[in-house]
Amino acid sequence: MRKTAMTVAGLTLFGTLVGGGTAVAVTNGADTGLASCVTGTRNWGGNVLSQYGCTEYDLPNGEQQVFGIGTDGAIWTRWSRTNGTLSSWTSLNGQGRSSVYAGGTAWAITLSVIGTDGNWWYNNRGGTASGGWSGWHR
């Protein structure tokens, strides 16, 4: 289950989706186009493009990972640790022009995003806790 937050007309709405979900960030200021990455579970900080928000994925060990489009247009990620601390924001490179969608099972995550060329691009994470990313491909 994924917890989501969506900003509509200045109000933040929270809900739960079964399967993958997208959480739209709460904007920091009027007409800035930037937002802090906020989901139903926490404020992840950082700056994401508010029109795309950020997506949270629940990992099998109780940690969570979040994905969003940064001010540079690249896809960025951050995750919680079991001790309660957060990782630094890490770029997954690529360029996105949509919300980042995360789906999968356990540690095997597939990210999907529309790229600057208008096509869907995918990045797959290995199916283990230490699994790496495949890199963006169509």
Side-chain angles (χ1 to χ4, degrees), residues 84-97:
T85 62
L86 297 175
S87 72
S88 297
W89 283 97
T90 301
S91 178
L92 293 173
N93 300 309
Q95 293 285 306
R97 297 294 179 265

Side-chain angles (χ1 to χ4, degrees), residues 13 41 49 52 63 114 121:
L13 308 173
T41 61
L49 297 179
Y52 306 133
E63 296 176 354
I114 297 175
W121 288 80

Side-chain angles (χ1 to χ4, degrees), residues 15-106:
T16 303
L17 299 174
V18 175
T22 300
V24 178
V26 178
T27 58
N28 285 336
D31 302 321
T32 63
L34 298 179
S36 180
C37 179
V38 177
T39 64
T41 61
R42 73 177 70 224
N43 183 337
W44 294 84
N47 285 312
V48 295
L49 297 179
S50 60
Q51 68 264 39
Y52 306 133
C54 53
T55 299
E56 184 177 81
Y57 184 88
D58 296 325
L59 297 167
N61 65 349
E63 296 176 354
Q64 296 164 318
Q65 190 163 4
V66 71
F67 306 92
I69 307 293
T71 58
D72 59 356
I75 293 85
W76 288 79
T77 186
R78 187 176 202 186
W79 54 93
S80 65
R81 297 184 182 107
T82 53
N83 67 6
T85 62
L86 297 175
S87 72
S88 297
W89 283 97
T90 301
S91 178
L92 293 173
N93 300 309
Q95 293 285 306
R97 297 294 179 265
S98 72
S99 296
V100 180
Y101 300 93
T105 304

Side-chain angles (χ1 to χ4, degrees), residues 106-131:
W107 296 105
I109 305 169
T110 297
L111 299 181
S112 327
V113 66
I114 297 175
T116 57
D117 61 359
N119 291 306
W120 281 98
W121 288 80
Y122 306 92
N123 197 343
N124 302 303
R125 183 175 189 264
T128 65
S130 60

